[in-house]
Amino acid sequence: MSVSSVFPQLEQLLPRVSKPIQYVGGELGAVVKDWDETTVRWALMYPDAYEVGLPNQGVQILYEVLNEQADVLAERTYAVWPDLEALMLENGVPQFTVDAHRPVKAFDVFGLSFATELGYTNMLCALKLAGIPLDSADRDESHPIVLAGGHASFNPEPIADFIDAAVLGDGEEAVLEITGIIREWKAEGCPGGRDELLLRLARTESIYVPRFYDVDYLPDGRIQRVVPNRPDVPFRVAKRTTMDLDAWPYPKKPLVPLAETVHERYAVEIFRGCTRGCRFCQAGMITRPVRERSITTVGQMVKEGLEFSGFNEVGLLSLSSADHSEIGDMCSGLAEQYADTNVSLSLPSTRVDAFNIDLAQELSRNGRRTGLTFAPEGGSERIRKVINKMVTKEDLIRTVVTAYSNGWRQVKLYFMCGLPSETDEDVLEIAEMAHEVIRAGRAAAGTKDIRCTVSIGGFVPKPHTPFQWAPMDRPEVIDGRLKMLKNAINSDRSLGRAIGFRYHDGEPSLIEGLLSRGDRRVGKVIRRVWEKGGRFDGWSEHFSYARWVEACDEVLPGMGVDLDWFTTREREELEVLPWDHLDSGLDKDWLWQDWQDSMSEFEQDDCRWTPCFDCGVCPSMDTEIQIGPTGKKLLPLTPVKNLRVPV
Amino acid sequence: MPIAFSQGFTPHPKISYASAAPTGVGSEAEYLEIGLQAPVDPEQLRVALDAALSPGLDILEAVIAGEGSLADRIDASQWRLELPQVEPAVAEKAVTAFLDSAEVLVERMTKQGKRAFDARAAVSRCAVAAEPDLPSGAVAVPCAIIDLVVRQVTPAVRPDDVLSGLRVVAGLEPPVPPRVTRLAQGTLTAQGEIVDPLDADRGGVGIGER
């Protein structure tokens, strides 16, 4: 049965919506296949607007990995803006893919990548538009398997009612294994229907199917246990880890957007995983161990990615890029190869040391010097010990001064507010630090014309981190501290004038906290918020704190819990956490010990350079640290360079 | 392709579009100039650009630019306006009323806010096309087709402004959004024909004759 394009109906609506180009597809790198020539078909969604979703690295990688299979078709779909959503509902146009404008409902799998929990309401919009029942329990063989991935899927309990399955961890091999299971099941004539397919997925022990697990609660609202409700599924579901990144050099053919997007560059992950051990950082905890891509593979990917796409910016991405064992040679080699071209290289710089400046210097050889970014995260020495961000104030000042004296005029500093055990004084120290940065910077640069921006966001405790037990601060506390900080920065007018202050309100963070550490009961809140019109919760112009609070008040008390219970309450050691049956490899006892160490301001080393500290990931996942150096270097490129000659 | 870049802190590729069609309309005739750092065979450039662009965005021809800028050779556009579910006779009446007016004031939202301007003076031709022959047995769905030639003036008069004008003079309200396609751009001759702006650089050889 072939599936036709909804474009003729959609086209009628496009003149009436904002930025219609985001819905037309046809990007360089997009793949359109014949529906009938394929057997397993995936619709991949990044549940945010096209401008945010298109550059997403995860979706691009899976899109390419799947489409490389001859009998597999993968297309992309994004959240449509409310103006088009209303028109689609009115005119019966279903959620569509941008590649061939096929209805999402016709696919075998509807895979959603959740980088943040704030995309949950957008998933409900998409399901509704697609004509797929919101509840997993109401779906039949005519509906796709709704599959969640991305970092948020390490606790998918708040969306357990809406998804059929979740994959934890790296997706490259997971999507191929799932494809294989579906291919086989379809070839056999779909025996046992949807339940049998979900069972086959669950038996891999690395795909979580919420319907096969029951949650029991204690009278006080805490979880008593989460256990399988049938004998043939595992008690715990393990995350995936893709080893040997050189064997998975994706994206090879990056998508080049036609509409404006948040990133327009060729992005290469130079390594995955991070063992710096920042206690707030979920990404650093759930992506262990560190696996480097070698200098030569990175060089090859950059060369081919640029040739294919024509991008003139390359981002060398990872959780702490300066830590790559070959980063020096990589930066100088790439800088050499692309000298005198219009290609600019960027390294998200979060490490606070002079080495970072050396690298930035290499990368800006062709004269383009944008800002430098450092992330001390905490204002006081004490709070930095709590979060395990090992950098002293002296280090920071020295680093920033080096930057200013080497010609940089703009430095950005990232911080968090609302960290466990934080006091007003911890936050106020940010102002002192910023003042000192400007004072020392002016002296070093010999000019008053330097700037520094303080950017501060609210801390959200995340599952599978040492702070998973931590209480959150109320939004009023956060907002009060931010106000105090702003005043303190401006208390010296001369210095304050050179300091920009950017911050996020406390309210969205509290809701993100609810969704991050919520359990299945929170699903009812998400549904209620969506019914009341909530969508695009990651956008301040669409997010409504009042709507979330109202929905919590309507739904949660009946179950003996409330918004505070999920957010500002500190958990105890023996409490069953909603994600305990989902195995990130981290030993819960180790996490608890790290939480205790944090409260006694005791720091933890990085196992990349020091002996193993027994976080548990490598032995339980049968993985190991994969790092260089390989000893290889990047050779000069021989082909004709795209010379930048002023005309 | 060795595209040339502008100077400055963020160099931009040297591309300039001559009177690009507005969002939401089709076009069979867009023109752009690209600055290169080195001579390239025009056909090679055409093929390379065509390969990188979306399906439906087809590069038909490339020529080496001669004297003067492209913008100087474009002063008018020909458009086809399809009005589904509008009887041609109804459209005919509106078009006649429009052409009989000395001035037709219409309003449009601009960056400066709502402004009113004349949509009539820039129109050099506006006619309802003859009904196409339908294949035998096909059920006729009314669809008026308007052939429109508009001179480039400031402020620009776009096809939707002319449609607004038809509403103003004759109350024409198409029930579904009209489909608009640009058919040609170029220099408007005294006879009302549009001369392809690339003609001069082709040495008088037309597309079909190459």
Side-chain angles (χ1 to χ4, degrees), chain A residues 57-357:
Chain A
Q57 189 81 354
V59 171
Q60 289 205 22
I61 291 170
L62 301 184
Y63 179 71
E64 204 173 343
V65 165
L66 286 166
N67 275 320
E68 278 184 359
Q69 305 287 309
D71 70 335
V72 179
L73 172 158
E75 299 193 8
R76 296 160 296 131
T77 182
Y78 303 98
V80 300
W81 285 111
D83 59 349
L84 182 59
E85 184 199 353
L87 287 173
M88 286 165 70
L89 287 170
E90 188 187 320
N91 292 276
V93 177
Q95 179 80 27
F96 56 88
T97 58
V98 295
D99 305 275
H101 297 92
R102 286 160 173 148
V104 165
K105 191 184 167 189
F107 288 75
D108 296 308
V109 187
F110 178 27
L112 296 108
S113 177
F114 289 105
T116 151
E117 298 83 0
L118 295 172
Y120 290 161
T121 47
N122 281 359
M123 168 177 67
L124 298 188
C125 285
L127 287 171
K128 169 79 179 164
L129 280 171
I132 299 169
L134 293 191
D135 285 283
S136 166
D138 297 337
R139 294 177 198 140
D140 60 34
E141 282 77 64
S142 74
H143 301 112
I145 297 293
V146 178
L147 180 72
H151 287 181
S153 71
F154 277 81
N155 176 26
E157 290 300 88
I159 52 168
D161 289 346
F162 314 124
I163 59 171
D164 298 308
V167 170
L168 285 63
D170 297 329
E172 289 94 338
E173 290 158 291
V175 294
L176 294 178
E177 187 178 348
I178 292 167
T179 297
I181 291 170
I182 295 173
R183 184 191 283 127
E184 197 170 301
W185 176 73
K186 286 177 93 170
E188 291 168 19
C190 311
R194 196 178 178 82
D195 245 34
E196 166 71 15
L197 176 57
L198 289 172
L199 186 60
R200 290 186 188 188
L201 293 172
R203 280 200 201 122
T204 61
E205 306 197 350
S206 61
I207 298 165
Y208 175 51
V209 180
R211 70 167 64 175
F212 296 147
Y213 297 80
D214 288 339
V215 184
D216 297 328
Y217 300 95
L218 294 164
D220 66 2
R222 287 177 302 153
I223 293 173
Q224 183 176 24
R225 59 184 179 179
V226 182
V227 283
N229 54 26
R230 49 187 305 155
D232 43 5
V233 297
F235 272 86
R236 297 191 84 201
V237 179
K239 76 160 180 178
R240 304 275 180 151
T241 312
T242 297
M243 300 302 290
D244 188 10
L245 293 195
D246 284 349
W248 298 90
Y250 298 90
K252 299 173 191 166
K253 294 180 175 168
L255 289 156
V256 183
L258 295 178
E260 203 175 331
T261 58
V262 292
H263 297 297
E264 289 165 356
R265 65 181 180 199
Y266 178 52
V268 187
E269 279 176 286
I270 61 173
F271 65 87
R272 224 176 258 183
C274 179
T275 38
R276 291 225 148 222
C278 303
R279 291 178 173 125
F280 55 84
C281 179
Q282 188 191 35
M285 293 289 160
I286 61 178
T287 61
R288 296 170 176 213
V290 170
R291 291 145 288 151
E292 286 186 355
R293 197 164 256 153
S294 69
I295 181 171
T296 38
T297 303
V298 170
Q300 189 73 11
M301 285 177 71
V302 170
K303 177 174 174 289
E304 289 171 7
L306 290 181
E307 277 170 8
F308 174 82
S309 66
F311 279 126
N312 54 18
E313 190 184 330
V314 176
L316 302 172
L317 308 190
S318 75
L319 292 170
S320 180
S321 291
D323 288 349
H324 193 290
S325 65
E326 301 172 294
I327 193 68
D329 285 341
M330 193 184 294
C331 289
S332 58
L334 288 171
E336 180 62 35
Q337 287 182 340
Y338 295 95
D340 306 322
T341 74
N342 64 317
V343 172
S344 66
L345 304 159
S346 72
L347 193 68
S349 43
T350 51
R351 218 172 96 173
V352 187
D353 60 30
F355 179 57
N356 221 331
I357 311 267

Side-chain angles (χ1 to χ4, degrees), chain B residues 127-154:
Chain B
V128 176
E131 280 183 75
D133 291 330
L134 289 169
S136 59
V139 183
V141 178
C143 178
I145 296 173
I146 297 175
D147 176 32
L148 177 71
V149 175
V150 185
R151 273 188 296 272
Q152 276 184 21
V153 291
T154 310

Side-chain angles (χ1 to χ4, degrees), chain A residues 445-637:
Chain A
T447 167
K448 276 201 151 187
D449 183 27
I450 56 157
R451 283 191 61 76
C452 131
T453 303
V454 169
S455 193
I456 181 163
F459 162 70
V460 179
K462 295 277 178 173
H464 306 277
T465 69
F467 289 163
Q468 63 185 356
W469 291 278
M472 285 184 85
D473 280 324
R474 297 279 318 160
E476 310 84 80
V477 176
I478 304 288
D479 294 347
R481 284 192 186 136
L482 293 177
K483 204 167 163 195
M484 250 187 290
L485 173 58
K486 191 178 180 186
N487 291 338
I489 287 174
N490 292 325
S491 64
D492 182 317
R493 305 258 323 255
S494 152
L495 297 172
R497 235 177 312 163
I499 301 168
F501 184 60
R502 299 169 58 109
Y503 64 96
H504 296 285
D505 298 326
E507 291 179 345
S509 300
L510 194 77
I511 300 308
E512 194 185 330
L514 166 75
L515 298 174
S516 295
R517 292 191 297 172
D519 54 40
R520 292 190 183 185
R521 293 170 291 193
V522 172
K524 295 192 171 54
V525 179
I526 299 168
R527 188 193 307 250
R528 195 74 198 100
V529 165
W530 170 73
E531 285 167 354
K532 289 163 167 278
R535 57 259 293 126
F536 287 98
D537 284 305
W539 295 69
S540 56
E541 59 267 52
H542 290 279
F543 175 80
S544 161
Y545 181 64
R547 186 155 50 205
W548 279 97
V549 171
E550 255 174 52
C552 286
D553 288 345
E554 283 172 35
V555 164
L556 293 178
M559 297 179 284
V561 287
D562 58 23
L563 176 56
D564 279 340
W565 192 87
F566 282 107
T567 54
T568 59
R569 180 179 65 96
E570 181 170 351
R571 278 70 160 166
E572 283 172 12
E573 183 176 10
L574 296 178
E575 177 167 346
V576 176
L577 301 173
W579 50 91
D580 277 351
H581 58 300
L582 301 173
D583 188 4
S584 60
L586 295 156
D587 179 21
K588 198 176 176 187
D589 293 338
W590 178 82
L591 282 174
W592 177 261
Q593 188 53 50
D594 205 39
W595 169 226
Q596 299 309 303
D597 286 349
S598 153
M599 288 300 100
S600 47
E601 295 156 29
F602 182 82
E603 292 161 297
Q604 173 71 63
D605 282 333
D606 185 338
C607 67
R608 189 177 185 134
W609 294 288
T610 61
C612 171
F613 47 68
D614 298 321
C615 75
V617 173
C618 288
S620 69
M621 295 288 135
D622 191 23
T623 54
E624 57 182 9
I625 296 176
Q626 292 182 328
I627 55 174
T630 59
K632 297 203 173 112
K633 298 261 193 287
L634 290 177
L635 301 172
L637 292 178

